[in-house]
């Protein structure tokens, strides 16, 4: 409760209501019980799907407990931008169900002053859960964090960097490939932006192309607060893979150890394996954040 982590218990004063999503939700055909997902993961098996109940289905009455995805303290992650009034703890939630005809998701940021929250007399023992989740990947696997500070560089595509610089980057990429073949480093994958969860830095625009994100309340260009991503490593950015997650006898891509526990430890997915960027307003962190899948 007092650590930064993905999944796991939130620092949540016992007298505060848990966030609910009250919008209408799409009905599913089948789902997975959270406890069965946990048991299956521990056993290394796949959970059994259950038919979606016809009556009294979760979400039909319009109040679904949000799923806590992560909480981050600035004491663990010094680069975490401040929330309203200097808040230093951010908690991130996602509604476990689908909204609207285009499969939209609803997210929530809850900022806190950690010292104030830690002074509560009692805390929520267990977060409320829906009886069925629509997918195994809706339930985060609790993961402690070992934050690492790294230098990052902008995504290199139309307008994010001067055209002449992008030309030089392309030429460098070509030279690397000619020299090292399939283990060659690339600017985009290995130098600019690491895979996985990250705080601050630059947005990646792999599926959308670069976008300007402005505050809907005051039109100020927004800053990237954090990025959530299901996969912590991939072959295209293998140089970021931690040494502890490599076979020391092998080199390059071949040295990456596989399996979900290493490559996708949180078990979460965002869109079709995209990056979920959370932008906040630098002129007033209390303005509504924007959630951008890219
Ligand atoms: Zn919802
Ligand atoms: Zn604003």
């Amino acid at each position: 409760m007092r650590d930064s982590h993905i999944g796991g218990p939130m620092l949540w004063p016992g007298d505060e209501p848990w966030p609910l999503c009250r919008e209408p939700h799409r009905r599913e055909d089948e789902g997975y019980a959270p406890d069965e997902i946990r048991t299956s993961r521990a056993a290394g098996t796949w959970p059994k799907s259950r038919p979606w109940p016809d009556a009294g289905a979760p979400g039909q009455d319009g109040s679904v407990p949000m799923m806590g995805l992560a909480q981050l303290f600035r004491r663990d992650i010094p680069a975490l931008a401040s929330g309203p009034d200097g808040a230093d703890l951010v908690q991130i939630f996602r509604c476990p169900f689908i909204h609207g005809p285009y499969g939209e998701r609803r997210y929530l940021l809850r900022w806190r002053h950690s010292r104030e929250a830690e002074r509560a007399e009692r805390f929520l023992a267990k977060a409320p859960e829906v009886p069925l989740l629509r997918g195994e990947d809706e339930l985060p696997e609790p993961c402690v964090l070992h934050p690492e500070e790294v230098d990052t560089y902008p995504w290199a595509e139309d307008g994010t960097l001067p055209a002449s610089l992008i030309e030089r980057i392309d030429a460098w990429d070509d030279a690397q490939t000619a020299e090292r073949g399939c283990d060659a480093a690339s600017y985009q994958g290995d130098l600019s932006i690491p895979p996985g969860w990250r705080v601050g830095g630059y947005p990646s625009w792999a599926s959308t192309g670069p976008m300007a994100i402005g505050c809907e309340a005051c039109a100020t260009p927004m800053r990237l607060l954090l990025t959530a991503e299901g996969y912590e490593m991939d072959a295209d950015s293998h140089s970021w893979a931690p040494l502890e997650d490599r076979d020391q006898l092998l080199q390059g891509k071949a040295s990456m150890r596989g399996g979900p526990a290493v490559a996708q430890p949180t078990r979460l997915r965002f869109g079709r394996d995209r990056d979920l960027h959370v932008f906040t307003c630098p002129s007033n962190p209390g303005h509504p954040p924007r959630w951008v899948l890219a």
Side-chain angles (χ1 to χ4, degrees), residues 183 238 241-258:
D183 275 334
H238 70 94
L243 295 177
E244 297 88 330
D245 294 330
R246 289 176 182 271
D247 184 330
Q248 301 296 327
L249 300 175
L250 298 172
Q251 300 268 321
K253 289 178 188 176
S255 71
M256 290 167 67
R257 291 209 191 100

Side-chain angles (χ1 to χ4, degrees), residues 21-25 64 66 95-99 106:
C21 181
R22 298 176 194 279
E23 294 182 44
H25 296 104
V64 163
M66 301 285 278
C95 171
F97 296 143
I98 295 287
H99 294 247
R106 293 287 182 271

Side-chain angles (χ1 to χ4, degrees), residues 15 26 52 75 86 149 157 189 203 212 235 259 287:
D15 57 357
R26 190 174 82 185
W52 208 258
R75 63 184 177 226
E149 213 166 20
E157 194 176 340
H287 286 167

Side-chain angles (χ1 to χ4, degrees), residues 71-92 109-114 149 198-201 221-227 278-286 289:
Q71 70 174 11
L72 307 175
F73 291 83
R74 194 180 312 118
R75 63 184 177 226
D76 297 324
I77 303 157
L80 183 70
S82 290
D85 303 320
D88 62 345
L89 163 61
V90 67
Q91 298 172 319
I92 302 146
L109 273 195
R110 176 74 167 85
W111 286 102
R112 293 181 183 280
H113 293 85
S114 60
E149 213 166 20
R198 47 204 187 261
V199 164
M222 298 183 98
R223 75 178 157 212
L224 181 61
L225 174 74
L226 63 91
T227 301
V278 187
F279 289 90
T280 53
C281 177
S283 70
N284 184 342

Side-chain angles (χ1 to χ4, degrees), residues 178-202:
E179 195 179 320
R180 293 160 191 263
C182 85
D183 275 334
S186 71
Y187 172 81
Q188 212 82 289
D190 296 280
L191 297 184
S192 65
I193 299 167
W197 282 71
R198 47 204 187 261
V199 164
Y202 296 97

Side-chain angles (χ1 to χ4, degrees), residues 121-293:
E121 280 184 15
R122 54 186 190 85
F123 297 94
L124 184 71
K126 190 177 185 302
E129 278 182 337
V130 291
L132 284 185
L133 291 164
R134 50 183 289 278
E136 200 269 353
D137 49 20
E138 293 294 333
L139 182 73
E141 181 68 14
C143 286
V144 295
L145 297 178
H146 305 283
E148 186 178 358
E149 213 166 20
V150 295
D151 289 329
T152 61
Y153 299 92
W155 185 259
E157 194 176 340
D158 312 340
T160 59
L161 289 172
S164 60
L165 190 51
I166 292 180
E167 269 175 37
R168 285 171 60 197
I169 289 170
D170 289 345
W172 183 84
D173 279 345
D174 291 345
Q176 291 293 310
T177 306
E179 195 179 320
R180 293 160 191 263
C182 85
D183 275 334
S186 71
Y187 172 81
Q188 212 82 289
D190 296 280
L191 297 184
S192 65
I193 299 167
W197 282 71
R198 47 204 187 261
V199 164
Y202 296 97
S204 55
W205 299 115
S207 62
T208 58
M211 292 194 286
I213 307 296
C215 176
E216 281 167 346
C218 73
T220 302
M222 298 183 98
R223 75 178 157 212
L224 181 61
L225 174 74
L226 63 91
T227 301
E229 187 185 356
Y231 284 86
E232 293 289 317
M233 60 174 75
D234 61 74
D236 290 335
S237 52
H238 70 94
S239 70
W240 293 102
L243 295 177
E244 297 88 330
D245 294 330
R246 289 176 182 271
D247 184 330
Q248 301 296 327
L249 300 175
L250 298 172
Q251 300 268 321
K253 289 178 188 176
S255 71
M256 290 167 67
R257 291 209 191 100
V262 174
Q264 196 199 6
T266 68
R267 304 297 186 100
L268 291 169
R269 292 178 72 196
F270 298 93
R272 294 191 176 116
D273 295 322
R274 295 183 181 183
D275 286 359
L276 175 68
H277 295 312
V278 187
F279 289 90
T280 53
C281 177
S283 70
N284 184 342
H287 286 167
R290 290 185 64 182
W291 306 81
V292 181
L293 269 183

